[in-house]
């Protein structure tokens, strides 16, 4: 790892160590010019999971006191991977992030600017110290449970859409899940989404993961699937990139799109690549 000022951060999710404790502390630093140049390689930039691995191995000094390796990247939950990449981006290029989103109505490329210092961050954990009469923190914490999923202990998020009879628990997706769908997420995002649900479901409408039909999600009506997608995204911790913009061409209000794969590169006129931090408030 190249020399540079190291900054302490707290992961919004964390991971369960061998002793069963939740570990959330990490140290990050800014990216160097040579590391940015390495990210510009087409084979790395074209695969967002591989790109995030490269950023984390280079610029995360440690997680819970341990050196970060490819195995660490695979084990880290997706919300923490995206959070660390965002923190490294802030240290490397500042808090102003310019994006472009393709308007679904008229296909216009709509610009938007985020100030990352003002973007809300939600976690799975209440503050370590808080006044008894202060419940303002509750809006920045999402519910979770520690559950057994196929014999392993995982942090799981609760996903509910009562109007569609959806009630499920999903372990947080990790780096291995990101690599599993990286090759298809751009060409077929629906297939990538369904693969992630199948891999991470812990309980679905009262059935434990081992008894959930392999086609449970494929057979959902499209409105239910879209509602599940929104609720799933809202249940994930991390930065909340849910700002809306008005398309100057057709005046429709659309949700701004943020892609980790464009964090470290100049803004391009074409639509952002898929993947990366995408969390919406329900």
């Amino acid at each position: 790892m190249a020399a540079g000022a190291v900054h302490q951060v707290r992961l919004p999710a964390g991971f369960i160590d061998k002793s069963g404790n939740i570990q959330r502390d990490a140290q990050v630093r800014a990216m160097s010019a040579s590391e940015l140049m390495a990210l510009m390689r087409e084979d790395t930039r074209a695969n967002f999971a591989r790109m995030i691995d490269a950023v984390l191995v280079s610029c995360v000094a440690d997680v819970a006191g341990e050196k970060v390796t490819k195995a660490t990247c695979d084990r880290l939950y997706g919300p923490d991977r995206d959070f660390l990449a965002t923190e490294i981006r802030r240290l490397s290029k500042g808090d102003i992030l310019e994006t472009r989103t393709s308007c679904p109505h008229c296909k216009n490329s709509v610009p938007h600017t985020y100030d990352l210092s003002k973007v809300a961050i939600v976690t799975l954990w209440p503050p370590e110290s808080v006044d008894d009469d202060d419940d303002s923190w509750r809006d920045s914490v999402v519910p979770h449970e520690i559950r057994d999923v196929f014999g392993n202990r995982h942090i799981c998020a609760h996903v509910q859409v009562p109007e569609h009879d959806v009630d499920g628990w999903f372990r947080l997706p990790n780096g291995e899940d990101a690599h599993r769908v990286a090759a298809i997420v751009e060409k077929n995002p629906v297939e990538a989404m369904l693969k992630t649900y199948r891999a991470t479901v812990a309980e679905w409408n009262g059935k434990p993961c081992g008894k959930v039909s392999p086609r449970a999600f494929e057979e959902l009506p499209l409105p239910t699937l879209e509602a599940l997608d929104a609720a799933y995204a809202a249940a994930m911790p991390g930065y909340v990139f849910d700002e809306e913009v008005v398309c100057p061409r057709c005046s429709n209000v659309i949700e701004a799109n943020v892609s980790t794969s464009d964090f470290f590169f100049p803004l391009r006129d074409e639509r952002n690549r898929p993947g990366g931090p995408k969390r919406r408030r329900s």
Side-chain angles (χ1 to χ4, degrees):
M1 174 175 287
V6 175
H7 298 258
Q8 185 85 18
V9 297
R10 298 216 79 190
L11 302 176
F15 65 92
I16 305 171
D17 65 17
K18 294 179 181 179
S19 301
N21 299 313
I22 301 295
Q23 300 292 346
R24 295 181 59 204
D25 292 328
Q27 296 189 88
V28 299
R29 64 159 176 82
M31 184 179 295
S32 69
S34 61
E35 289 159 348
L36 177 60
M37 183 173 63
L39 283 187
M40 297 288 287
R41 290 175 47 186
E42 187 61 31
D43 61 335
T44 300
R45 190 173 179 179
N47 183 311
F48 73 88
R50 187 182 300 138
M51 192 196 73
I52 295 302
D53 283 353
V55 172
L56 300 187
V57 170
S58 295
C59 300
V60 179
D62 69 76
V63 175
E66 297 181 5
K67 177 180 172 60
V68 174
T69 64
K70 174 62 168 63
T72 312
C73 295
D74 286 345
R75 181 178 61 175
L76 282 172
Y77 290 122
D80 287 338
R81 288 164 56 91
D82 293 337
F83 172 81
L84 289 169
T86 305
E87 292 298 296
I88 293 165
R89 196 273 179 200
R90 294 180 66 186
L91 292 172
S92 304
K93 297 177 71 68
D95 287 329
I96 301 304
L97 172 65
E98 295 181 341
T99 69
R100 284 186 177 272
T101 302
S102 177
C103 175
H105 305 282
C106 69
K107 308 305 179 184
N108 185 34
S109 180
V110 183
H112 183 62
T113 300
Y114 285 93
D115 182 344
L116 296 176
S117 68
K118 297 179 180 179
V119 176
I121 301 173
V122 299
T123 77
L124 299 180
W125 313 100
E128 294 180 354
S129 60
V130 64
D131 294 336
D132 291 339
D133 58 350
D134 180 11
D135 62 356
S136 60
W137 56 269
R138 296 184 185 278
D139 287 339
S140 62
V141 176
V142 291
H144 72 283
E145 286 185 4
I146 309 298
R147 291 187 166 215
D148 284 315
V149 185
F150 291 114
N152 295 308
R153 300 285 280 169
H154 279 286
I155 300 174
C156 297
H158 195 195
V159 178
Q160 285 183 299
V161 189
E163 60 271 28
H164 289 275
D165 295 323
V166 167
D167 190 336
W169 287 88
F170 294 81
R171 69 164 173 82
L172 302 187
N174 58 25
E176 288 184 339
D177 299 312
H179 282 280
R180 188 177 294 116
V181 301
I184 62 172
V185 69
E186 184 168 4
K187 296 179 180 178
N188 194 334
V190 175
E191 181 183 359
M193 176 175 61
L194 293 173
K195 279 192 172 184
T196 300
Y197 293 158
R198 288 196 298 267
T200 61
V201 64
E203 179 182 310
W204 181 249
N205 287 340
K207 293 182 179 179
C209 53
K211 295 186 177 180
V212 177
S213 167
R215 294 190 56 79
F217 304 108
E218 284 88 335
E219 293 171 351
L220 291 174
L222 186 55
T224 301
L225 183 63
E226 292 178 342
L228 170 62
D229 180 40
Y232 184 95
M236 295 296 116
Y239 278 87
V240 184
F241 293 101
D242 65 350
E243 298 180 16
E244 294 181 333
V245 294
V246 177
C247 175
R249 177 181 295 173
C250 68
S251 300
N252 275 290
V253 177
I254 61 176
E255 182 181 326
N257 180 52
V258 181
S259 171
T260 301
S261 58
D262 290 318
F263 263 24
F264 302 99
F265 308 108
L267 179 66
R268 299 170 300 169
D269 286 337
E270 65 267 27
R271 66 177 179 83
N272 291 348
R273 295 180 185 269
K278 180 183 178 184
R279 186 185 184 284
R280 300 187 295 270
R281 285 282 195 164
S282 57

